Amino acid sequence: MSTTQGEPITAATEHQLAGRSLGWWGMIFFITSEALIFANLIAAYLYLEIRNMGGHWAFKLPSGDYLDVVFPLINTFILLASSIPARFAGASIARGNRRNMVLGLLGTIVLGSIFLGGQLYEYTNLFASNFTIHYQAFGSAFYTLTGFHGLHVTVGILFLLICLIRALRGDFTAKNHFAVQAGEMYWHFVDFVWIFVVSTVYLLPLLLRP
Amino acid sequence: MATRTIVEAPVVERRKRLDETYIGEWLMTTDHKKIGVMYMLTGFFFFLAGGVEALLIRTQLAVPNGHVLSPEVYNQVFTMHGTTMIFLFVMPTLTGFGNFVVPLMIGARDMAFPRLNAFGYWMVLFAGIFLSSSFLLGQAPNGGWFNYAPLSELTSNCGNAVMCTPALNEDFWLLGILLLGISSIAGSLNFVVTILKMRAPGMTINRMPLFTWMTLITAFLLLFAIPSLTAASVLELLDRHLGAHFYQFAAGGDPLLWQHLFWSFGHPEVYILILPAFGMISEVLPVFSRKPIFGYTFIAWSGVAIGFLSFTVWAHHMFAVGLPPIAQAFFATSTTLIAIPTAVKIFNWIATIALGKVSLKVPMLFACGFIAMFLIGGLDGAALAVVPFDYQVTDTYFVVSHLHYVLFGGTVFGIFAGFYYWFPKMSGKLMNERLGQIQFWLMLIGINLTFFSMHILGLLGMPRRVYTYPDNLGWNEINLLQTVGAFMLGLAIMVFFWNLITSLRSGLPAGDDPWDAYTLEWDTSSPPVHYNFLTIPTVRSRRPFYDMKNPDIADWKTATH
């Protein structure tokens, strides 16, 4: 319990912290709060949908069709798959394997970028059919919810890019790699929350179509 | 023979680094105590600003057909009064108390993330400056502190929201609130991790001081409530600047969405504002009654109950908008339910005082004042939960009376109780008792003059937020009375600042433990050294410092917790 003079001692050691680091807990509560922003946006999406609902699902494209589901589901698959290299990177550096960490980070960034590209491609097609953020409450709700998620993917990619640069500089060791751990946590969150977004925006209308 | 010459050792002249100068030390600090003090000073500065705004409102309303302010400026002043008091005075000040006191109370050397802590503080300061700077452009927010969407949005056929309310008023509000939200999230996750992970050995959850308990619950409320406000504000900004239609009925949006999102933040928010004050009262009362707190477990867990329930009551702010009866019944019930854990606390506090050796020092005066004033405010709240009664008085001065009894009579009394209690620890000086008593009685009379008569004014039908009123409605005398009361409150606050300044310069030395207190923050020097404790103490009961001072009759020898 005592500190020797001049010898630095971390809070974790002094409080005899067992288990997860303080940073891990901090990240958990940060992510909780982020998740609740998504929950609120999804609630707003459903609220507006219900306000406009007359018997069946109201949010339709200007052409009168429902949103296409096939392409977003392929894209979903790519995003969810990107969690695997992220886990691989985290597990590798925990064992001190820097080469595999770099490979894992690289794989995650590539898959994440493909997802973002896919989302942009989808947006371009929708724009071409006059479906923009100005198009009724549906346009506003759709672009806000999916765009907010896209923003999180972008932040996640930047997060992992910084980790990648630091990894190439050799900053991380088996004991000291919290940035990679936090980046991985954030990435899993971004993937996980997309399941809820995709279910709300694309899958729910499938159930409630006439 | 060798000669020895004595040479002066060369004096190394170098400029002090910024963090070695007095100013730089404060600017660059990550010490929770300094950050706590800065939070409080910032809070008190905005308290003055918000107070001046309140006095402007009361001057305008002192007599019928008043023209002290223009109607436009009046709207800006009442909006900024609410916004400043809630977001820039009460929240930063309570965070300041939490910052200063909680790590000391739980026997830690600092918060879990000291730099994030500093970030949170600077964010509050700059967001406050940003929000207030709107006055310089003459475009301060003017939509009320809850900024209802139709007031900040498209009204009829103007194409998009910015064309309808083109000035920057609402943008200042929305952006300022987003910045403050970021700060609150940073601060609250720091509190949660600090309190959950960094308690001294032996301090189990059920031995934590009650102020720490309430800070923990508040931090959770912030983590779960702020996201609603963030989402609502982002949608509003998108409506205003990117042409989205969230709150526009004509395009399939709904202005009620703003109200739902805002109040699902707003109601937990009122508990965010009051729970830390509950905690402070629960620290002050036992020390000045020379007894342990009565019903520790009930106080702690009724706080948790309030936290949960606070997320289920938001639509009682919206009874008058025409919700379905089943929803109204639900929200009326849940609102009445919240009275139960609150009443549990009040009875516990009264039982703590009862049969104690009460010493009526200034912190105790404010704590007792808190119980009485908060009780009135709470009873108003229970009355407002009754839907038909709410229809009658919604948006009248009755509501203004209710919210000021709980926020001014409650939270502000709590803040003063806490401030007089912990000031000796922060500064090493005692505040002047006599001036403190004068301030307390001025405030107690002022608050009742100002706000009690608002009940009557509300029942007589005066709506809140009106610019002025004609002189034949029977409202004149009461309004004048309120203005007199408000200036008494202003005088009381002046007495407080006079007391603060003179005590800082020439107050009596406090010593480490002026109140013969029970908790760990008194077990260190006043002001505390940078590292708080030489060795981290070991805790064996709920009153660890009492145990140390009275080893023969220590709590852990008798109590089972």
Side-chain angles (χ1 to χ4, degrees):
Chain A
M1 207 53 50
S2 60
T3 54
T4 319
Q5 197 144 32
E7 186 185 316
I9 180 165
T10 63
T13 337
E14 197 172 26
H15 286 275
Q16 299 174 321
L17 269 192
R20 307 286 190 178
S21 67
L22 291 177
W24 188 88
W25 284 103
M27 213 46 208
I28 285 290
F29 289 113
F30 170 67
I31 286 174
T32 309
S33 195
E34 285 281 288
L36 278 157
I37 300 184
F38 275 99
N40 275 282
L41 289 180
I42 290 174
Y45 191 97
L46 293 175
Y47 182 86
L48 292 179
E49 162 62 37
I50 290 166
R51 294 299 271 180
N52 290 294
M53 209 175 209
H56 43 80
W57 194 259
F59 283 170
K60 288 181 190 165
L61 296 173
S63 58
D65 295 335
Y66 289 97
L67 283 167
D68 175 42
V69 182
V70 179
F71 182 77
L73 282 186
I74 298 172
N75 219 9
T76 304
F77 181 73
I78 293 171
L79 186 69
L80 294 184
S82 72
S83 264
I84 298 167
R87 183 75 277 268
F88 180 66
S92 302
I93 190 60
R95 288 193 307 267
N97 188 336
R98 288 188 200 166
R99 197 184 68 95
N100 284 357
M101 164 184 61
V102 169
L103 285 179
L105 288 175
L106 212 57
T108 315
I109 291 168
V110 168
L111 286 174
S113 306
I114 294 174
F115 171 82
L116 265 190
Q119 210 176 15
L120 279 181
Y121 172 76
E122 193 194 353
Y123 279 9
T124 337
N125 282 345
L126 290 171
F127 265 66
S129 66
N130 280 327
F131 180 65
T132 64
I133 197 167
H134 311 294
Y135 179 75
Q136 302 281 357
F138 179 32
S140 311
F142 173 81
Y143 283 106
T144 305
L145 185 52
T146 54
F148 191 68
H149 180 265
L151 194 68
H152 275 72
V153 177
T154 315
V155 170
I157 289 176
L158 289 176
F159 200 154
L160 294 178
L161 263 179
I162 292 168
C163 286
L164 181 65
I165 293 166
R166 289 188 60 191
L168 291 172
R169 288 196 335 188
D171 279 7
F172 301 124
T173 61
K175 280 201 160 173
N176 189 0
H177 59 269
F178 178 67
V180 181
Q181 198 189 3
E184 189 199 333
M185 289 167 83
Y186 189 79
W187 192 261
H188 289 323
F189 160 66
V190 166
D191 285 0
F192 186 65
V193 82
W194 177 247
I195 296 176
F196 293 90
V197 175
V198 117
S199 309
T200 310
V201 176
Y202 298 99
L203 299 184
L204 207 51
L206 284 182
L207 295 176
L208 297 167
R209 276 183 198 186
Chain B
M1 192 169 115
T3 51
R4 287 170 62 191
T5 48
I6 297 170
V7 187
E8 290 249 323
V11 179
V12 182
E13 282 280 347
R14 94 183 153 78
R15 284 183 60 198
K16 281 181 172 176
R17 288 200 318 269
L18 181 60
D19 60 343
E20 291 166 347
T21 61
Y22 182 73
I23 304 261
E25 206 184 326
W26 284 87
L27 287 179
M28 301 177 71
T29 186
T30 56
D31 176 16
H32 72 96
K33 298 180 286 298
K34 284 202 166 69
I35 292 172
V37 169
M38 290 196 292
Y39 261 118
M40 277 185 238
L41 289 179
T42 309
F44 281 136
F45 171 77
F46 284 111
F47 185 35
L48 283 179
V52 169
E53 285 153 1
L55 293 183
L56 283 173
I57 296 172
R58 278 322 315 169
T59 316
Q60 161 67 25
L61 293 175
V63 291
N65 302 313
H67 290 289
V68 179
L69 307 169
S70 72
E72 293 77 24
V73 173
Y74 181 78
N75 286 348
Q76 298 181 4
V77 167
F78 79 66
T79 301
M80 283 305 284
H81 166 69
T83 308
T84 305
M85 285 302 196
I86 288 169
F87 292 103
L88 300 175
F89 160 52
V90 172
M91 287 173 76
T93 308
L94 293 176
T95 314
F97 275 107
N99 254 302
F100 191 96
V101 177
V102 164
L104 286 166
M105 264 185 169
I106 62 172
R109 296 201 191 281
D110 206 326
M111 301 281 282
F113 309 111
R115 280 205 295 177
L116 189 68
N117 201 17
F119 167 80
Y121 167 70
W122 292 104
M123 206 74 176
V124 164
L125 180 66
F126 287 115
I129 293 172
F130 172 77
L131 260 170
S132 311
S133 68
S134 56
F135 275 116
L136 297 177
L137 298 177
Q139 298 188 1
N142 56 4
W145 85 272
F146 38 72
N147 203 35
Y148 272 4
L151 298 173
S152 51
E153 266 274 351
L154 172 116
T155 42
S156 53
N157 293 318
C158 5
N160 69 52
V162 179
M163 285 163 65
C164 299
T165 47
L168 293 173
N169 312 48
E170 300 319 321
D171 296 319
F172 271 113
W173 193 88
L174 294 165
L175 291 171
I177 290 304
L178 282 178
L179 293 177
L180 288 167
I182 293 171
S183 157
S184 292
I185 294 295
S188 50
L189 74 85
N190 210 343
F191 275 124
V192 170
V193 178
T194 307
I195 296 173
L196 289 183
K197 302 300 289 182
M198 293 179 65
R199 298 188 307 275
M203 184 177 279
T204 55
I205 286 275
N206 278 320
R207 287 180 190 162
M208 289 194 316
L210 285 163
F211 179 62
T212 307
W213 258 106
M214 295 304 137
T215 306
L216 179 66
I217 299 167
T218 306
F220 271 114
L221 289 187
L222 277 165
L223 275 179
F224 296 147
I226 293 278
S228 302
L229 182 64
T230 307
S233 305
V234 167
L235 302 188
E236 176 80 68
L237 281 170
L238 290 173
D239 265 20
R240 287 176 62 80
H241 296 292
L242 286 183
H245 303 294
F246 285 103
Y247 304 127
Q248 290 157 23
F249 207 84
D254 191 345
L256 271 190
L257 176 60
W258 170 272
Q259 298 192 17
H260 280 297
L261 287 176
F262 182 86
W263 288 118
S264 63
F265 149 79
H267 205 82
E269 168 73 7
V270 307
Y271 292 99
I272 289 163
L273 301 174
I274 195 69
L275 280 174
F278 285 176
M280 294 185 205
I281 298 306
S282 309
E283 295 302 325
V284 170
L285 288 175
V287 169
F288 291 91
S289 306
R290 310 310 309 153
K291 278 170 66 182
I293 188 91
F294 183 88
Y296 171 97
T297 317
F298 276 91
I299 295 191
W301 287 94
S302 64
V304 178
I306 289 175
F308 274 109
L309 284 173
S310 73
F311 284 96
T312 65
V313 298
W314 78 88
H316 68 216
H317 297 267
M318 302 162 58
F319 281 152
V321 302
L323 298 173
I326 185 74
Q328 296 195 334
F330 172 82
F331 286 108
T333 312
S334 57
T335 306
T336 337
L337 271 182
I338 243 178
I340 297 173
T342 316
V344 164
K345 280 189 160 53
I346 300 237
F347 283 121
N348 278 314
W349 291 324
I350 294 172
T352 304
I353 303 172
L355 302 179
K357 292 197 205 81
V358 176
S359 96
L360 282 177
K361 293 271 175 46
V362 180
M364 186 62 174
L365 282 179
F366 275 106
C368 294
F370 171 97
I371 299 176
M373 295 300 102
F374 182 78
L375 182 60
I376 298 177
L379 290 175
D380 291 344
L384 286 167
V386 181
V387 180
F389 181 71
D390 183 82
Y391 283 166
Q392 184 64 29
V393 296
T394 193
D395 260 335
T396 68
Y397 268 86
F398 192 93
V399 176
V400 181
S401 167
H402 160 62
L403 74 94
H404 282 93
Y405 264 102
V406 288
L407 283 184
F408 201 94
T411 305
V412 177
F413 269 50
I415 284 175
F416 280 120
F419 193 82
Y420 276 93
Y421 180 60
W422 281 303
F423 179 82
K425 181 52 62 183
M426 295 174 197
S427 65
K429 305 273 179 66
L430 285 171
M431 297 274 274
N432 184 313
E433 279 287 315
R434 174 47 60 90
L435 285 174
Q437 286 164 356
I438 293 173
Q439 183 207 344
F440 170 74
W441 288 108
L442 274 176
M443 270 179 76
L444 194 72
I445 298 167
I447 187 178
N448 285 301
L449 276 185
T450 314
F451 300 119
F452 195 82
S453 51
M454 280 188 189
H455 289 120
I456 301 158
L457 199 54
L459 293 173
L460 289 175
M462 180 160 169
R464 67 196 287 202
R465 294 177 171 171
V466 288
Y467 168 60
T468 186
Y469 51 93
D471 68 355
N472 57 357
L473 293 175
W475 299 344
N476 306 1
E477 294 78 12
I478 299 180
N479 269 297
L480 189 62
L481 190 69
Q482 286 165 6
T483 305
V484 173
F487 276 91
M488 267 181 91
L489 289 174
L491 186 65
I493 303 307
M494 287 302 109
V495 173
F496 168 72
F497 279 102
W498 174 252
N499 193 353
L500 178 61
I501 292 164
T502 50
S503 302
L504 272 178
R505 296 180 74 182
S506 52
L508 297 170
D512 292 349
D513 181 25
W515 313 120
D516 193 10
Y518 305 148
T519 38
L520 286 177
E521 75 270 25
W522 304 99
D523 183 24
T524 176
S525 58
S526 302
V529 283
H530 178 67
Y531 44 86
N532 291 356
F533 303 98
L534 199 56
T535 53
I536 288 193
T538 305
V539 177
R540 303 180 73 171
S541 81
R542 285 172 189 157
R543 298 195 293 173
F545 190 42
Y546 173 87
D547 290 353
M548 274 180 234
K549 289 186 290 188
N550 306 286
D552 298 338
I553 47 166
D555 275 354
W556 56 267
K557 291 188 174 164
T558 50
T560 48
H561 45 73

